Amino acid sequence: MKIHLTSVFVDDQDQALRFYTDVLGFVKKHDVPLGTARWLTVVSPEDPDGTELLLEPSGHPAVQPYKTALVEDGIPAASFAVDDVREEFERLRGLGVRFTQEPLEMGTVTTAVLDDTCGNLIQIVHSQ
């Protein structure tokens, strides 16, 4: 068994697609109209047949309280692996990305947490 798809709830699918592709560097995989929303997924360009991230609309009534609670408690909605957290932190900060946690080393793991502009905190991580 392996993870095929996971999702983050986003406030605006167009804004999320721009952020996740133009800023974070993912590539669009699927964009299928579904009424007022879309089945919109992105993947890593390094693994185009790998795990897809669904940019899922935040329309369900339970989503906003859930997202708000996570952000207020500083809990990331997702975690993405990078080769070098400090280098990626500098690159993203240069693009205007707001971080809620600068790079933090914890033994063999380094993390940083960013705001995805769509209502979520996202962690970037590197393990040695």
Side-chain angles (χ1 to χ4, degrees):
M1 188 177 304
K2 64 181 182 176
I3 299 171
H4 168 70
L5 177 96
T6 190
S7 63
V8 291
F9 292 107
V10 297
D11 298 335
D12 179 305
Q13 285 186 301
D14 289 323
Q15 179 180 336
L17 181 60
R18 281 190 302 274
F19 184 83
Y20 280 80
T21 57
D22 297 346
V23 177
L24 295 185
F26 291 102
V27 293
K28 180 171 61 174
K29 176 118 183 193
H30 297 288
D31 190 349
V32 179
L34 295 172
T36 59
R38 295 145 51 196
W39 181 264
L40 181 60
T41 67
V42 296
V43 294
S44 169
E46 299 168 18
D47 191 10
D49 295 321
T51 305
E52 295 179 48
L53 179 66
L54 175 63
L55 303 176
E56 189 161 355
S58 295
H60 189 280
V63 171
Q64 200 54 53
Y66 167 76
K67 284 175 54 173
T68 299
L70 289 180
V71 170
E72 286 177 355
D73 289 344
I75 299 171
S79 183
F80 303 141
V82 297
D83 292 331
D84 184 321
V85 169
R86 291 187 185 287
E87 183 178 297
E88 193 65 9
F89 169 80
E90 292 299 334
R91 181 186 81 79
L92 293 172
R93 191 167 64 171
L95 293 173
V97 173
R98 184 179 76 82
F99 280 81
T100 61
Q101 177 203 302
E102 294 194 6
L104 177 63
E105 292 181 24
M106 299 171 283
T108 60
V109 175
T110 304
T111 66
V113 178
L114 60 95
D115 178 341
D116 78 348
T117 73
C118 303
N120 302 291
L121 298 179
I122 302 295
Q123 180 180 64
I124 56 174
V125 62
H126 174 78
S127 300
Q128 294 180 15

